Amino acid sequence: MVSLISTVDTGHEDMIHDAQIDFYGTRLATCSSDATVRVFSVRNGSQTLEAELREHQGPVWQVAWAHPMYGPILASCSYDRRVIIWKETGGRWSKLHEHASHDSSVNSVCWAPYELGLVLVCCSSDGSVSVVSYTAAGTWDFKKINNAHTIGCNAVSWAPEVSAGSVLEGQPQKVTKRFVSGGCDNLVKIWREEDDQWVEEAKLDAHSDWVRDVAWAPSVGLKRQLIASCSQDRRVIIWSNDGTGTAWTPHELPTFSDVIWHVSWAVTGNILAVSGGDNKASLWKETLEGKWVCLNEVNLGKGQAGSMPGDAGTKTL
Amino acid sequence: MEDDTTRCDVMVSLPMPTHQRLNINFSHGCQNNVVLHAVDFGAKDTDSGQPGGAPAGGGVREVFWSPSEWPGWWRQLASESAGVFSDLQSCDAGQGEAALRLSLLKLSRRYRSCLRASMETVTASDEEDADTHRQLLNSMEMVWNLSEIVLVDQKRGGVVLGQLLDWVRQHATQFDKSAAAVTEAEIPEKHPDYWNTVYGMVLQGRQAAARKLLRLHSGFGTDPFVSADELLRKVPPLAEGADFELRWRHWQAQCVLRLESGEFGYSPRLQTLVKILCGDAVTFEDLYREMGSWYHLMVSYTLYSRPWVGIFELRHAAEDSIEVFGGPSQLSALDQMLQAALDGDIHKLLKTAQATLPDGWLTAHLADLLCRLPDISGAGRPSFLSELRHHLLVEYGSALCASRSLWQLGAVYLDQCGAQGRARLALLLERLDPRTDRRARKIIQMAESRGLSAVASSVAQVMGRRAMAAGQLGTALAWALRSDCSALASQLADTLVKQYTSSGRFASADFVDNLGSSMLKSDRLMFLGKYREFHRLYEENSLQEAASLLVTLMTSQLAPKYFWRTLLTDALPLLELQPPAFSTAQTYDLMACVEQLRRSGDLDESSEEVRLLRQALADNLWRASIAEDSVAS
């Protein structure tokens, strides 16, 4: 099924930790242990370096693009305990804001759905999580959740807004902000904003080692919600909530052969990408029967299904 | 449907430098791609507990799992079939069974003609893999055709065989080719393919063609040839009814008689020919290689053994034929699909198709068509089919949305998929880069016509933001209003106001003048509109009204504080008018505003401007009081 591979030679001087394509697929942001963030323009398989952002003072772990309606905005988080928000104006990138309220490496950063405004959440090895928002007055504000996870917090992911087409659209909705976090206490936690404070709404306990990544699936018109979590215990768990109440049911994928570092959902929410320590990355999809299966390669080149049918009436496809 | 939980070696083997524990980290791209980079987890950064990263200078790779642009012939197929698909959706399910089948049959044929049209386009094109693509389309048409014959069309006994015969003739064209070669040879009968071609024509029920070839033989005219020719001539044409069976058995009895009487004793070739007519199983098996496929064997054998049978018996014949070709293990994917179609096993057909074909065209459209069939007698419609159809249409529609030129077709399909389709469409429409105004408007129109107002709004906001960044404030404002986003509108209005403050001119004045009720969208916008009105009034010399408006703007807090200085400067010429434009009350109001400014430290008392202002206010006050006093008295 794969038809085109293009390589981006980033020119980073050290290990690359994250690579994210922007909302429309026109740009790529990469970050590295060389403390820089690089932005490339990618179109039709060709790439050009647009900018090199140097403000961090340590390895940069993740980058995240904000929704284009706020203009070209990028967030990066680093070992230097800071989150930096960058903005491009008139073709030049500059630092828009710096969030430096953590005592230790900031490991993950995730933008909230655009309906909530320009808001992001980040988490740190100091165990805390902070939600940073751009206020109407034009300033930046943040709220910190201390001790979200003991020892450290590794990943955060924001819940999608109520999607179009869902049964709830059109009804007056109190916009509830929620995100999920995963930490070194082996837990996955869901947080909800209530009366201007963040409270722990649910604690999902099924991993036996550090949770390395969490990802909340995009909303696809069903009431059901899905969260994927992966851990050093070599397992990926897909948690589902039926849209009523706060109970989450775990569904484990077959155990992998090594640590799983990263999970991410496709834009349309139906494919989960899992990558980890066993030289493999895989894509998983839910079947009609509700099972999660790994996508197979299309069998066009294998054995019987070798050549295309000839019209000599011979039996090949 | 895939019960396969084996790990897949996804994507491809990428050329990576060898490291001991090299892993792939990836994140999803926009729609049909992922971005991945190699991460070496061997080197752990123990301080932070984070994994190490890719080797220095390591590349990031973008992998696409479907082309973002399909070739011309595929686009043609997609566009034309989308039209058929739409018509199919409006097909009246309430009409009687016979009428419904007829409608579905017509639509099925239209699909097939789309496939054939694409085949012609591919053949005519100069592409490298044109042949592969043509063969693929050919197989698809073959599978579809068989499904149409078996599942959609009304079954009428022996006529099924006639349709299958047509079908085989269309796709097993080897004998046409050899016939051409043989006829052009100097001595046809010496051509190595001569007799195989004759047999082939007979096997395909083309007796007339066979007879023509026999005429080319030097032995034509001799008794055995005349006899064989007569037998071929007298084959009863396929028809329905017990009558046909009778006549046909009578004819075959004749063939058997003549064969056994030794008429063809001296010509083993003719003997073989007549053995075919007699339905001799061994002869058929001997000729299997010439026929080349199990379905050819099945149809040919049935033609000369029991040509009146229906589908059920044919399925047994199919199994037998498959055995001749080596059994089920030798079946290619195409064979499996054909057998599934013959068996009426829709599930297996679609499952195999999905696993083998490079895109979801066939499965999505076929599932959609089959879903509408009235219950097949005795079988009942499979319950899984509607779920499967839904799933396939969603996948196909989403894949279309990822295409640069066909994204609008995607909506046609997703529209048929209920709430999930709608949600998908919303997600996908949002992800389309509104590169130009025209495209943005199209996306917005598509979103709005489906009630996806959030999508429409967000696209308009993106356009507004881009226009703003490009300095096209009027355009930006237009988009902001379209998007119903008051924040953006306010921001723009602010910018316009500040622009005026610095340049003394109004950019986009026309646009602001025609805001009308859109002004209500945001306070700042309202202020902007009113301020323009103030200028208009001033220019028209309606000075009293202009003055009142000015005061209202300040006292109602509609004007932003930073603008008050400008407004007061605007007031200066009005304050010097005789008769006074401002009443005493209004003058006091203005003075109160000045006082507010002073208190908040925004007033530079030492400046000439402020001095003039205070003077003018005082002057106006006493002139106004005198005027009002004289009116009073």
Side-chain angles (χ1 to χ4, degrees), chain B residues 567-599:
Chain B
L567 284 174
L568 288 168
T569 316
D570 284 337
L572 266 176
L574 292 171
L575 285 168
E576 283 153 18
L577 289 175
Q578 184 64 272
F582 292 100
S583 70
T584 47
Q586 287 173 334
T587 319
Y588 277 126
D589 282 337
L590 284 178
M591 285 175 157
C593 292
V594 173
E595 185 58 25
Q596 265 189 53
L597 278 181
R598 190 189 67 79
R599 276 209 214 107

Side-chain angles (χ1 to χ4, degrees), chain B residues 326-633:
Chain B
S329 60
Q330 293 302 310
L331 289 179
S332 70
L334 174 61
D335 289 328
Q336 288 176 32
M337 284 193 265
L338 292 172
Q339 192 188 14
L342 195 64
D343 286 345
D345 187 348
I346 302 176
H347 183 246
K348 180 154 184 242
L349 168 62
L350 291 174
K351 176 177 170 176
T352 318
Q354 198 182 33
T356 357
L357 295 171
D359 63 69
W361 187 92
L362 183 74
T363 42
H365 291 95
L366 191 56
D368 182 54
L369 180 74
L370 295 177
C371 213
R372 286 156 206 286
L373 286 172
D375 281 1
I376 306 159
S377 59
R381 186 175 319 133
S383 59
F384 73 90
L385 192 54
S386 50
E387 262 189 58
L388 183 56
R389 167 200 172 263
H390 181 270
H391 172 82
L392 292 168
L393 285 179
V394 167
E395 294 296 312
Y396 181 70
S398 305
L400 282 177
C401 279
S403 154
R404 216 167 44 228
S405 52
L406 296 174
W407 59 273
Q408 291 174 81
L409 287 182
V412 171
Y413 292 88
L414 289 174
D415 281 344
Q416 299 302 323
C417 300
Q420 274 198 55
R422 213 166 107 85
R424 278 276 188 121
L425 186 60
L427 283 171
L428 291 166
L429 282 177
E430 269 202 317
R431 290 282 173 158
L432 293 169
D433 189 1
R435 282 190 292 270
T436 59
D437 267 10
R438 191 163 158 264
R439 197 162 138 115
R441 271 194 286 272
K442 221 180 242 174
I443 301 173
I444 290 175
Q445 185 264 327
M446 280 183 79
E448 279 176 346
S449 65
R450 289 163 176 82
L452 299 169
S453 44
V455 173
S457 173
S458 76
V459 174
Q461 282 185 56
V462 171
M463 294 306 283
R465 184 70 57 160
R466 284 184 182 170
M468 194 162 84
Q472 298 159 353
L473 296 180
T475 318
L477 196 52
W479 282 116
L481 291 172
R482 187 88 194 270
S483 76
D484 231 11
C485 172
S486 60
L488 187 58
S490 298
Q491 201 176 349
L492 281 165
D494 234 14
T495 316
L496 281 168
V497 166
K498 285 189 177 132
Q499 234 190 24
Y500 174 81
T501 321
S502 57
S503 71
R505 270 190 337 103
F506 254 124
S508 326
D510 291 337
F511 186 78
V512 178
D513 283 339
N514 292 317
L515 273 177
S517 59
S518 317
M519 266 201 276
L520 298 167
K521 296 253 163 106
S522 100
D523 279 353
R524 191 62 91 245
L525 211 50
M526 176 98 105
F527 165 69
L528 187 62
K530 291 284 170 197
Y531 187 59
R532 269 295 298 161
E533 205 186 312
F534 166 73
H535 271 264
R536 218 179 23 86
L537 290 169
Y538 191 85
E539 277 153 33
E540 286 169 10
N541 242 350
S542 320
L543 300 172
Q544 206 110 52
E545 287 172 48
S548 298
L549 183 53
L550 186 85
V551 176
T552 324
L553 282 178
M554 291 183 74
T555 53
S556 65
Q557 305 286 326
L558 199 59
K561 274 272 169 52
Y562 66 79
F563 205 69
W564 281 10
R565 291 286 307 280
T566 319
L567 284 174
L568 288 168
T569 316
D570 284 337
L572 266 176
L574 292 171
L575 285 168
E576 283 153 18
L577 289 175
Q578 184 64 272
F582 292 100
S583 70
T584 47
Q586 287 173 334
T587 319
Y588 277 126
D589 282 337
L590 284 178
M591 285 175 157
C593 292
V594 173
E595 185 58 25
Q596 265 189 53
L597 278 181
R598 190 189 67 79
R599 276 209 214 107
S600 61
D602 286 331
L603 218 54
D604 182 11
E605 295 287 356
S606 58
S607 77
E608 181 68 11
E609 212 187 305
V610 175
R611 202 190 59 77
L612 272 172
L613 183 63
R614 285 197 185 279
Q615 185 68 49
L617 280 168
D619 283 347
N620 189 299
L621 189 58
W622 76 255
R623 268 187 266 123
S625 344
I626 291 174
E628 276 157 36
D629 266 348
S630 54
V631 166
S633 56

Side-chain angles (χ1 to χ4, degrees), chain B residues 246-258:
Chain B
L246 215 59
R247 277 183 286 124
W248 194 89
R249 283 195 193 278
H250 179 76
W251 166 82
Q252 196 174 57
Q254 267 287 303
C255 300
V256 174
L257 206 63
R258 293 198 193 184

Side-chain angles (χ1 to χ4, degrees), chain A:
Chain A
M1 279 207 280
V2 170
S3 60
L4 173 66
I5 307 170
S6 68
T7 308
V8 181
D9 193 359
T10 59
H12 274 296
E13 291 152 12
D14 206 332
M15 308 172 265
I16 299 171
H17 294 292
D18 198 11
Q20 295 287 339
I21 292 192
D22 79 342
F23 199 74
Y24 294 130
T26 54
R27 278 172 158 163
L28 176 68
T30 60
C31 62
S32 156
S33 271
D34 67 5
T36 65
V37 172
R38 288 175 196 224
V39 180
F40 299 84
S41 145
V42 289
R43 274 187 196 273
N44 303 320
S46 69
Q47 309 85 22
T48 357
L49 175 66
E50 277 186 0
E52 204 181 293
L53 311 175
R54 290 178 181 277
E55 280 277 346
H56 281 294
Q57 283 151 2
V60 186
W61 302 126
Q62 282 192 10
V63 281
W65 290 94
H67 193 280
M69 73 166 59
Y70 296 109
I73 291 184
L74 193 57
S76 59
C77 64
S78 159
Y79 179 64
D80 72 358
R81 299 175 285 156
R82 296 182 292 164
V83 171
I84 297 184
I85 299 172
W86 316 82
K87 183 168 181 159
E88 187 201 30
T89 337
R92 293 184 59 243
W93 285 87
S94 56
K95 183 166 83 171
L96 182 64
H97 177 67
E98 187 182 295
H99 172 67
S101 78
H102 286 283
D103 304 323
S104 172
S105 167
V106 182
N107 300 324
S108 179
V109 66
C110 178
W111 289 99
Y114 67 81
E115 295 92 330
L116 299 177
L118 200 55
V119 177
L120 63 75
V121 62
C122 61
C123 68
S124 164
S125 290
D126 67 5
S128 64
V129 171
S130 39
V131 178
V132 182
S133 1
Y134 186 68
T135 64
T139 56
W140 289 88
D141 195 18
F142 73 91
K143 289 213 187 71
K144 202 163 171 189
I145 306 170
N146 287 305
N147 295 316
H149 291 270
T150 53
I151 310 175
C153 180
N154 295 324
V156 275
S157 170
W158 212 292
E161 277 301 286
V162 168
S163 81
S166 91
V167 288
L168 303 168
E169 193 197 22
Q171 294 170 19
Q173 281 280 306
K174 196 167 80 73
V175 172
T176 318
K177 299 182 189 175
R178 272 193 185 84
F179 65 85
V180 60
S181 64
C184 303
D185 51 5
N186 308 350
L187 296 174
V188 171
K189 293 189 182 181
I190 296 178
W191 305 86
R192 184 184 76 233
E193 197 193 40
E194 204 172 73
D195 302 325
D196 255 15
Q197 291 298 316
W198 286 93
V199 295
E200 186 185 300
E201 186 181 77
K203 187 178 351 211
L204 310 179
D205 188 358
H207 283 293
S208 51
D209 205 336
W210 291 15
V211 177
R212 292 262 56 137
D213 200 6
V214 285
W216 203 309
S219 186
V220 282
L222 301 169
K223 277 171 98 177
R224 184 188 70 159
Q225 300 253 32
L226 292 177
I227 290 177
S229 65
C230 66
S231 156
Q232 282 180 215
D233 66 5
R234 303 183 289 130
R235 290 184 296 160
V236 171
I237 298 181
I238 297 175
W239 305 86
S240 71
N241 171 288
D242 63 1
T244 60
T246 59
W248 291 82
T249 326
H251 179 109
E252 240 179 82
L253 294 190
T255 309
F256 294 79
S257 53
D258 206 329
V259 173
I260 300 296
W261 295 106
H262 197 54
V263 280
S264 75
W265 292 96
V267 162
T268 44
N270 56 330
I271 299 182
L272 177 68
V274 173
S275 54
D278 53 356
N279 287 3
K280 288 196 181 129
S282 45
L283 298 173
W284 295 76
K285 207 166 168 172
E286 197 183 19
T287 63
L288 287 176
E289 295 90 34
K291 289 176 64 171
W292 285 89
V293 295
C294 193
L295 291 189
N296 277 329
E297 267 188 278
V298 172
N299 285 324
L300 267 181
K302 307 199 172 211
Q304 288 288 322
S307 48
M308 289 294 164
D311 62 348
T314 50
K315 51 164 186 82
T316 48
L317 167 59

